[in-house]
Amino acid sequence: MREMVAGNISRYRKGLGMTQEALADRLGVTFQAVSKWETGQTLPDTALLPLLARTLNVGVDKLLGFSASAKDLSFYEDDYRKEEYFWGVQPSPMCLSVLELLPPVRPLKLLDIGCGEGKDAVFFARCGYEVSAFDISEAGLEKTKRLAEKARVHVRAFRADLCDFRLDEKYDVLFSSGVLHYIRPELRGEIMAGYKANVNQGGMAAFHVFVKKPFIPPAPDDDYHHLWKSGQLFTCFHDWYIERCSEYVFDCNSSGIPHRHAANRLLARNTI
């Protein structure tokens, strides 16, 4: 929590072109206090959070790494409110690769980044991983919890905005299938560096991202996408051991309009 808040204060302050001294003056505190917040030495007083958030033009939830703003709802929120599971309940193919390469022969902590309706998170929990999962969609999280209850497993599911949430604990596996294109390009380097820093030695990142190809037309919901470039994900993990990396094209009908995606799937192990 402390590191997450520290990073958010610094990022939102700099985004406004505001110095630590200027922020301190607005809040009636010393610039040394602001400096300590941004280095994670201390946290702002609870009573000061509303004013701090207003000064930085964000909500308190967003300042703490979460977002409850209606404008941030998932593109699939309406679909997730329906009884049936929009993405089905079969785990993604990448789940089996994780299970093969890093089986839970000992307790392993796994985080599903952008879990949607929870099919992959619940699969991992059923296999014996200690699973946490987050998504921006309340409806998706409710279905995740129902699916976990039906499978008689526990998934620690919580709501967070992909662009604002920062890890404050380490995991053995970071898993994300088809959501990292929602990260704005200007945040991608910082967020990916934070992900890598929070994978235990010997642990793994298993990421599936959409990539831009000139021969594939934009998807129907393209306004929400910040597509990756071929090789960009590989480059992010150039200093890790690459277990598997592949690129492929597949057909999709998620919007009710047939279309195609190019995707890159990577499983990399932290051997540093």
Side-chain angles (χ1 to χ4, degrees):
M1 167 68 78
R2 180 169 294 186
E3 292 180 1
M4 187 192 321
V5 174
N8 284 346
I9 293 173
S10 176
R11 182 168 59 262
Y12 295 135
R13 174 183 63 77
K14 292 176 181 177
L16 294 172
M18 188 182 298
T19 64
Q20 289 185 340
E21 290 82 357
L23 178 59
D25 287 343
R26 296 278 295 275
L27 300 174
V29 300
T30 64
F31 81 88
Q32 290 93 337
V34 174
S35 177
K36 288 181 178 179
W37 297 343
E38 294 189 356
T39 56
Q41 296 178 55
T42 61
L43 286 170
D45 186 270
T46 304
L48 197 59
L49 286 177
L51 177 57
L52 175 59
R54 286 198 300 273
T55 304
L56 296 176
N57 291 333
V58 296
V60 172
D61 284 345
K62 198 163 188 176
L63 183 64
L64 298 178
F66 300 86
S67 176
S69 171
K71 69 180 176 61
D72 287 328
L73 289 177
S74 165
F75 178 79
Y76 299 102
E77 186 75 11
D78 289 338
D79 294 303
Y80 289 172
R81 290 195 181 103
K82 298 173 183 176
E83 187 64 26
E84 66 273 13
Y85 277 74
F86 184 73
W87 302 110
V89 295
Q90 288 289 113
S92 304
M94 191 165 62
C95 294
L96 302 178
S97 296
V98 173
L99 186 60
E100 176 189 348
L101 294 170
L102 197 61
V105 294
R106 59 180 175 83
L108 294 177
K109 291 175 58 179
L110 181 147
L111 177 66
D112 188 346
I113 300 167
C115 64
E117 300 167 297
K119 61 184 180 66
D120 295 334
V122 172
F123 169 81
F124 284 123
R126 293 181 68 181
C127 290
Y129 297 86
E130 180 185 327
V131 180
S132 299
F134 75 82
D135 200 273
I136 199 168
S137 168
E138 290 282 9
L141 292 172
E142 285 303 313
K143 291 174 88 170
T144 298
K145 294 172 185 176
R146 291 204 303 270
L147 192 62
E149 184 178 356
K150 184 177 180 180
R152 298 183 179 179
V153 296
H154 174 69
V155 172
R156 183 174 72 93
F158 59 96
R159 188 172 190 266
D161 184 326
L162 184 68
C163 287
D164 294 316
F165 182 72
R166 300 295 183 271
L167 300 185
D168 59 359
E169 60 180 301
K170 290 199 171 187
Y171 294 87
D172 298 294
V173 181
L174 293 184
F175 179 92
S176 183
S177 181
V179 300
L180 296 180
H181 55 282
Y182 292 116
I183 298 176
R184 298 193 301 277
E186 67 270 20
L187 300 177
R188 189 171 288 165
E190 175 207 344
I191 290 176
M192 294 302 293
Y195 287 167
K196 290 177 65 179
N198 283 282
V199 175
N200 289 322
Q201 186 177 28
M204 183 177 297
F207 292 158
H208 167 277
V209 302
F210 295 129
V211 295
K212 187 176 181 63
K213 292 292 185 181
F215 53 85
I216 296 181
D221 58 344
D222 192 59
D223 288 345
Y224 292 79
H225 292 183
H226 305 287
L227 299 181
W228 293 62
K229 295 179 181 178
S230 290
Q232 190 174 12
L233 185 60
F234 182 94
T235 302
C236 285
F237 290 90
H238 69 93
D239 53 346
W240 285 26
Y241 179 74
I242 306 300
E243 292 276 5
R244 294 176 185 174
C245 185
S246 61
E247 187 172 281
Y248 57 100
V249 175
F250 66 97
D251 296 320
C252 184
N253 194 38
S254 62
S255 61
I257 303 172
H259 57 281
R260 307 176 84 200
H261 291 291
N264 181 199
R265 182 184 295 150
L266 177 139
L267 293 98
R269 191 183 298 267
N270 180 14
T271 57
I272 299 173

